Amino acid sequence: MDRPGSARRGTGTGRASARRSRIALAGAASSLLLALVAAAPAAASVNDLSGGAFQILAPGEEGNLPANEFSTDQGKLYNNLTHFKGSVTKAELERNYIPEKLQEPHAEGDTLEFTEEPGLEIWRDKHDIPHVFGATREAVMYGSGYVAAQDRGLLLRLGLGPAFAAALSIPGVNAFELLLTGRSFKPSAQAIKFVEQQKTVLEEAGPEGLQTIHDLEDWAEGVNAFERTLPEADRLPTVTLADAIAGFAFIGSIFGNGGGEEVANSNFLARLEKKYGEQEGLAIFRDLREVNDPEAATTASKAFPYDGVPSGPTPGALVVEPETLSNSAVKSLAATKASRRKASNFLLVGAAGAKAGHPIAVMGPQLGYFYPEIVMQAQLHGPGVEAEGIIAPISPYVFIGRSSDYAWSLTSADSENVQQFLLKLCNPEGGTVTRESEDYEYEGKCIAMTSLDAGTLGAGGGEPEHEVIVKESKYGPVGGTVMVKGQPYAVATDRSTRGREPAGELAFSKLDSGDVHSPGQFYEAANKLETTFNMAYVDSSNIAYFSAGRLPVLAPGTDPSLPTLGNGEYNWQGFLSQEQHPHEADPSREVFTNWNNKPAPEWGAASDDYAEGPVQRVQLYTGFTKNMTEAKDVSVMNRAATQDLRAVKVWPTIEQMLAHGHAPSKLAEEAAGLVDTWVEEGASLYGKNQPKSPGAAVMEAAWTPIAEAVLRPVLGELLGEFESIAAPDNPRNSGGSSFGSGWYSYVYKDLRSELGLPVAQPYSRRYCGAGNVEACAASLWAAIQTSAEALESSQGSNPAAWRAPEVHIEFPPLPIFDYKMSWTNRSTFQQVIEFTGHEE
């Protein structure tokens, strides 16, 4: 049935008749939405059992061109909250968030948008958020697609092609970068078939899976219905089920993958072993990997052993010859690293710790700041659907949000669901084997790689438009070669979700149903999500946590930090069961916090994660007291969002080490004193344009030199290579999220060890000053001296006037408006909520 959509009906508010336009990939095409049609009314029966319920999305719900009042309205509120730091009152909470209450079809001032879809009503509230009401589930999903095209059509235009690149895991291609730069990718017929066939994963899931297929198809119909209201030249190509599947893979590739850097680790280990010998080189490598540090901050208190350091021989783990990675392998590793975003947080307070006797949640994803923002807000209501929150506009579901009597959120977990295998190349004819060989040894045979025509990658990055052919193996796509003991090996990357992307949609279908009423039911829903995320849950009595993902069980004789021999002998041994995933409900400490930290004790850090030591940004969440309120919980979050982790957690130890030496100059002594004062005052980085304290300027200038001074005595010429694997710092930046990685734990632990302070799991050696306390202190003072001289040269001789550089939150990729916010380390979307009632 042909079901045309409609545009917004004017109501005299300016918002309802706002001009919405589109940019094609070149950034030129635009159109005015004018169609007006009628719709049959949708019945509504909403049961909202929340008390205070709030949300915010920066910069706003609008996502088209030209920008209008709803492009930045929430961003202004978001920015207002930042300067309150840790002193947010109830009044400020209510003033600087907007409601997240489930509403009836409309409230005063709302605007009705008609469509010709029977039984569907779409209302816009005063912040332009769509509220989709359907008399049938089909109508709701159709409406979700309709508003996705209406509010994020520009994003769909930019992202649907690159989404296929993400689903295919094309080596050397960063799908998210394609979107941000407007570089096109047109999937081939073979690629579309590869993605579309993944619906069998849902078919095999039974009735729930079949319902999800119907939901995705109805969503696609809604997208296409809105597109038909546009001039033909501005329309998207017809959106299909395959597009929905690829789009879901896209989100997972950015925020829901972990691991995949085993070859880079192996190369670094090889360099260490060459310098120090096999035993000592491995010991240094283990120090820096911090796979299972007992002092690491965890969300769950119970141990969940997984991917630890192997205790026995590892014949299935290979160490490559140093510096033998092919150019394509290097490019592949770089694309994998660049594509990842590890962000988001939650702060849950249990019933006994809350003033009103009901749990409190402050939580949301730290997705980065973009225009168009990569998510949108919406309420979905109809048979079997009751949810409000944010929707990734490539899927019909609210994936972070609330229902009638519970709410949930996600943070990137970075658990190991991606792993690299090394395939020993061979020649089926028995001749010479070279790096160009396309056959490899598997189960005693020499078998050929297959080829997948991925599609056409548009011009960009110094490359012309070209066809992309992916070489495939039993361990996934092949992305380059390396040498091991004089023999060439191909590098293959396996991802546990590749080829079964839509399975995770089952989790969001269940969470959106309004039918999850206990931690146990939440665990069952969360376990359906196959990408790697930490998930938080709150209702009127309980808080709960589950770390999700289709996580492989590695074969004995392998090492999660290093590439695995891909000859059939060391294949994955299945996947973790629901019970083996970190999970917990209603902890005795009455608080769950997560800021991408370690899920649980004995949970090994993924191969790309060098930040699971004793210092992690989640430790900035302090100040939980008895009788917590929503405002107090927001205050804990907001203070941490403006603090410097380096100063709060590491500087006191640096200061102790400095006391064992002498300042080389009055300038260096004064610079260190400025940091001391700033730390005593709370180490705030807040400022409308830049931090107000000169101590922040010293810290930002001196941190990397200090960190390098700590590790240089041991790493020496390998310092630069290690920095390419794990950067020394993750400071303030225009994307917001900061201090998620860095050498904070190395400095903290090594200095504490050298000072004789308690350390639960000491390193294999002393690093700073090669173990000499006086030499260590001298090297730190030298780093401060050099940094202070640089500040004096650039900003003058009065240290009190020094300031850290201006850093604002910005909104790429399109220069739509000159809109910026003060830097803050908060969630892009955030909800604040408690529930006072519960459905059975």
Side-chain angles (χ1 to χ4, degrees):
M1 176 181 175
D2 185 29
R3 300 187 288 192
S6 70
R8 191 159 304 175
R9 184 181 66 174
T11 62
T13 64
R15 167 175 60 88
S17 58
R19 181 172 181 262
R20 290 172 171 260
S21 62
R22 290 282 179 78
I23 287 186
L25 287 176
S30 65
S31 60
L32 182 64
L33 313 183
L34 297 173
L36 300 173
V37 293
S45 178
V46 173
N47 185 25
D48 188 333
L49 297 175
S50 64
F54 307 93
Q55 62 177 319
I56 197 78
L57 175 67
E61 168 57 23
E62 179 60 75
N64 286 310
L65 291 178
N68 63 27
E69 61 186 294
F70 306 111
S71 298
T72 59
D73 62 331
Q74 293 184 61
K76 292 170 184 174
L77 300 176
Y78 188 103
N79 198 35
N80 288 342
L81 191 77
T82 302
H83 82 274
F84 290 100
K85 296 178 281 188
S87 301
V88 180
T89 64
K90 183 175 184 290
E92 293 303 336
L93 164 64
E94 294 173 347
R95 185 176 296 120
N96 293 303
Y97 287 83
I98 66 174
E100 196 189 40
K101 301 290 284 187
L102 298 178
Q103 66 176 53
E104 297 295 337
H106 62 92
E108 185 177 352
D110 288 358
T111 303
L112 176 62
E113 295 186 344
F114 294 102
T115 76
E116 290 187 352
E117 176 67 8
L120 175 65
E121 286 184 356
I122 301 173
W123 291 82
R124 295 274 175 174
D125 65 25
K126 64 182 181 179
H127 294 284
D128 204 38
I129 297 172
H131 299 261
V132 179
F133 290 81
T136 64
R137 184 184 180 104
E138 177 188 39
V140 176
M141 297 299 144
Y142 177 96
S144 180
Y146 188 91
V147 296
Q150 188 174 30
D151 288 11
R152 292 295 184 272
L154 173 57
L155 187 65
L156 289 171
R157 184 174 295 277
L158 292 169
L160 283 179
F164 281 86
L168 295 169
S169 296
I170 300 174
V173 173
N174 177 352
F176 193 50
E177 183 181 21
L178 299 183
L179 182 150
L180 292 178
T181 60
R183 190 174 180 185
S184 66
F185 181 77
K186 184 178 180 181
S188 67
Q190 187 180 5
I192 293 171
K193 183 178 180 182
F194 171 83
V195 172
E196 188 174 37
Q197 286 178 337
Q198 295 177 41
K199 69 179 182 181
T200 58
V201 176
L202 294 174
E203 292 170 345
E204 292 167 358
E208 285 183 303
L210 293 175
Q211 180 62 69
T212 299
I213 291 173
H214 294 320
D215 291 346
L216 296 176
E217 291 173 337
D218 291 332
W219 170 86
E221 282 192 55
V223 171
N224 294 327
F226 178 79
E227 291 299 310
R228 288 194 293 272
T229 71
L230 303 175
E232 189 170 353
D234 291 340
R235 296 177 191 171
L236 286 168
T238 301
V239 174
T240 67
L241 176 64
D243 292 309
I245 293 172
F248 190 74
F250 198 2
I251 296 297
S253 74
I254 304 168
F255 301 106
N257 287 334
E261 291 196 13
E262 294 81 9
V263 170
N265 291 346
S266 183
N267 186 68
F268 181 58
L269 173 59
R271 297 282 303 278
L272 287 170
E273 291 183 346
K274 183 178 181 180
K275 180 175 181 177
Y276 284 102
E278 186 174 328
Q279 184 174 347
E280 293 303 302
L282 180 61
I284 295 169
F285 178 73
R286 297 289 187 223
D287 288 347
L288 299 175
R289 279 285 294 120
E290 294 187 308
V291 169
N292 192 20
D293 193 304
E295 292 184 271
T298 65
T299 298
S301 57
K302 176 185 173 183
F304 287 85
Y306 180 65
D307 273 3
V309 176
S311 57
T314 56
L318 301 184
V319 178
V320 307
E321 292 180 24
E323 301 180 75
T324 63
L325 277 69
S326 67
N327 290 337
S328 55
V330 172
K331 181 180 179 182
S332 224
L333 288 167
T336 296
K337 191 176 187 69
S339 68
R340 303 282 174 81
R341 300 287 191 279
K342 188 173 74 169
S344 312
N345 49 57
F346 56 74
L347 303 87
L348 309 184
V349 177
K355 183 176 182 179
H358 298 292
I360 298 165
V362 174
M363 53 190 182
Q366 213 162 350
L367 300 167
Y369 300 89
F370 303 99
Y371 193 92
E373 186 52 74
I374 61 176
V375 296
M376 55 181 283
Q377 294 156 292
Q379 177 186 356
L380 305 179
H381 172 81
V385 186
E386 188 68 273
E388 181 172 5
I390 53 171
I391 293 175
I394 45 70
S395 170
Y397 304 120
V398 170
F399 75 98
I400 292 177
R402 59 156 301 182
S403 190
S404 295
D405 66 342
Y406 63 90
W408 71 94
S409 192
L410 312 178
T411 78
S412 301
D414 194 40
S415 297
E416 185 105 353
N417 67 343
V418 180
Q419 188 182 10
Q420 291 181 310
F421 290 81
L422 295 186
L423 318 178
K424 187 175 182 181
L425 296 175
C426 57
N427 187 332
E429 305 299 325
T432 303
V433 180
T434 70
R435 286 190 176 216
E436 285 69 43
S437 297
E438 295 185 358
D439 300 271
Y440 62 99
E441 294 182 3
Y442 186 80
E443 294 184 343
K445 299 178 182 179
C446 186
I447 65 173
M449 299 176 191
T450 58
S451 295
L452 186 150
D453 177 8
T456 303
L457 182 61
E463 298 178 330
E465 178 179 289
H466 62 278
E467 287 294 309
V468 178
I469 304 297
V470 178
K471 289 296 179 182
E472 299 260 1
S473 72
K474 290 184 178 293
Y475 298 96
V478 173
T481 60
V482 71
M483 301 295 289
V484 179
K485 296 181 179 180
Q487 297 296 314
Y489 282 71
V491 180
T493 302
D494 205 356
R495 174 166 54 88
S496 67
T497 57
R498 188 174 189 262
R500 48 180 301 115
E501 309 297 349
E505 297 271 27
L506 294 168
F508 300 119
S509 176
K510 184 64 174 177
L511 290 165
D512 279 21
S513 69
D515 195 27
V516 177
H517 304 298
S518 69
Q521 291 175 341
F522 166 67
Y523 297 154
E524 291 177 4
N527 191 52
K528 297 177 187 294
L529 183 57
E530 296 196 348
T531 40
T532 168
F533 285 100
N534 299 301
M535 302 185 69
Y537 167 88
V538 60
D539 62 28
S540 64
S541 302
N542 310 108
I543 57 175
Y545 164 67
F546 189 93
S547 192
R550 189 172 190 253
L551 303 181
V553 177
L554 272 59
T558 62
D559 184 335
S561 294
L562 299 174
T564 297
L565 176 60
N567 65 355
E569 186 177 351
Y570 299 100
N571 294 355
W572 290 339
Q573 308 292 293
F575 301 90
L576 294 189
S577 68
Q578 179 177 314
E579 280 302 308
Q580 290 173 309
H581 285 266
H583 61 281
E584 189 174 358
D586 303 318
S588 58
R589 62 187 182 278
E590 290 298 332
V591 171
F592 278 135
T593 58
N594 187 278
W595 206 350
N596 314 113
N597 51 281
K598 190 184 186 78
E602 300 183 29
W603 189 264
S607 65
D608 63 334
D609 191 349
Y610 281 76
E612 296 293 0
V615 176
Q616 212 276 345
R617 62 186 179 179
V618 74
Q619 293 163 326
L620 293 175
Y621 291 147
T622 60
F624 294 100
T625 62
K626 293 182 178 179
N627 298 319
M628 287 291 290
T629 63
E630 287 181 313
K632 288 181 179 179
D633 205 10
V634 170
S635 293
V636 172
M637 174 279 301
N638 203 48
R639 184 191 63 248
T642 56
Q643 282 184 303
D644 190 312
L645 176 66
R646 305 161 300 189
V648 174
K649 294 298 296 182
V650 189
W651 180 259
T653 304
I654 294 173
E655 185 182 26
Q656 287 180 272
M657 180 58 76
L658 292 175
H660 287 265
H662 301 282
S665 70
K666 177 77 171 173
L667 181 68
E669 183 178 22
E670 191 168 358
L674 291 172
V675 180
D676 291 341
T677 300
W678 175 52
V679 171
E680 290 172 2
E681 294 171 348
S684 172
L685 288 168
Y686 173 72
K688 185 175 181 180
N689 295 310
Q690 60 199 133
K692 298 176 181 178
S693 170
V698 176
M699 176 59 74
E700 293 215 343
W703 172 259
T704 294
I706 287 172
E708 290 176 337
V710 170
L711 294 187
R712 183 178 287 110
V714 173
L715 293 187
E717 71 279 5
L718 299 182
L719 195 69
E721 181 175 343
F722 184 56
E723 288 182 342
S724 71
I725 295 173
D729 199 12
N730 176 209
R732 293 177 305 136
N733 60 83
S734 61
S737 181
S738 305
F739 308 123
S741 61
W743 294 2
Y744 316 129
S745 289
Y746 304 144
V747 176
Y748 174 84
K749 177 178 276 196
D750 185 62
L751 297 189
R752 285 181 63 84
S753 295
E754 300 204 29
L755 292 167
L757 299 172
V759 173
Q761 185 174 287
Y763 293 142
S764 64
R765 67 208 61 238
R766 303 289 184 260
Y767 286 81
C768 186
N772 182 289
V773 171
E774 288 75 20
C776 174
S779 70
L780 301 188
W781 274 119
I784 292 171
Q785 174 71 28
T786 301
S787 303
E789 289 174 353
L791 286 167
E792 182 181 48
S793 175
S794 62
Q795 298 192 39
S797 59
N798 179 13
W802 294 346
R803 293 293 181 270
E806 288 191 21
V807 176
H808 295 89
I809 301 295
E810 298 178 359
F811 294 86
L814 302 173
I816 295 173
F817 43 72
D818 184 22
Y819 180 73
K820 299 177 181 179
M821 300 189 307
S822 299
W823 176 84
T824 183
N825 203 0
R826 289 174 58 190
S827 299
T828 312
F829 169 80
Q830 193 169 67
Q831 53 183 340
V832 180
I833 197 163
E834 69 172 340
F835 291 94
T836 57
H838 192 66
E839 293 181 353
E840 295 301 329

